[in-house]
Structure formats: C-alpha cells, structure tokens
Amino acid sequence: MTLEDVKALVLGADEEALHYQHARGRGAYTTWRETQRIRRTADDTPELGWAFTVDRFTQTEFDPVAERIERVLLEAEGVSYRYAVDYERDSGYIHHIFDCEGI
C-alpha cells in the first residue's frame, strides 16, 4: 500500500479529510497521517505498506462520517485497524481514532 492508496482510502470516506492538518473552527473534521513504514514477507516476497492513523473529531454522537470511515476500512483489502473513541471534555469533541496498517 502506498501513501496515495492511503489517501484515496481516507478521501473515500471523507472527501474533506486533511493530511497532517486539522480544521478546528470548521466544526467536525478528519485528519490522517502515516506513522511508520511496515514490511511483511509472504512466500519469500517482501511487501511494503504503511501504518497510518485516521482521526475524526466531531460533536455529533453517532457521527455518520466516523461510521463511513470504519466501513471503508472494513472493506479495504489488506488493511487492519484498531478503533478507539475518546471524549475531550474541554472542547466537547468526540475523538474517533483509527490506528491502521495497510499492505
């Protein structure tokens, strides 16, 4: 999986998602970033991919974009992820955290 593949995956769930940057002040927003290069060897052939994180910040309970992000990740071939949710009391944002790996 290339970074362009990761970008396409994320934009398939939220076309307004930003790489590295955030859009506070615009209400809900999604960011994504690569975190490390990963390698898997199958049949003595190395495959390269990326570990990446998708963060969704929203004040909407049961946010449809967060649900779309999970659906896109579920359907993506070669992608695994861990999903966590945090509530940021000071800002009122619900933080959906998708820690992913894609080969």
Side-chain angles (χ1 to χ4, degrees), residues 7-27:
K7 178 181 178 180
L9 189 71
V10 175
L11 292 178
D14 182 356
E15 63 187 26
E16 295 182 11
L18 298 172
H19 189 212
Y20 297 118
Q21 302 175 19
H22 65 80
R24 282 205 191 246
R26 285 189 359 190

Side-chain angles (χ1 to χ4, degrees), residues 16-82:
E16 295 182 11
L18 298 172
H19 189 212
Y20 297 118
Q21 302 175 19
H22 65 80
R24 282 205 191 246
R26 285 189 359 190
Y29 62 93
T30 304
T31 64
W32 69 276
R33 60 189 160 81
E34 64 276 16
T35 56
Q36 68 181 12
R37 190 68 145 145
I38 58 175
R39 178 179 182 237
R40 177 179 77 180
T41 302
D43 299 326
D44 294 325
T45 305
E47 296 177 281
L48 296 176
W50 285 97
F52 60 98
T53 301
V54 181
D55 295 294
R56 174 71 181 167
F57 294 88
T58 181
Q59 293 178 323
T60 303
E61 192 172 2
F62 307 111
D63 180 59
V65 175
E67 292 172 5
R68 266 198 320 269
I69 293 168
E70 185 168 32
R71 188 170 51 254
V72 164
L73 292 171
L74 276 170
E75 294 172 358
E77 187 174 327
V79 174
S80 62
Y81 68 94
R82 289 170 300 285

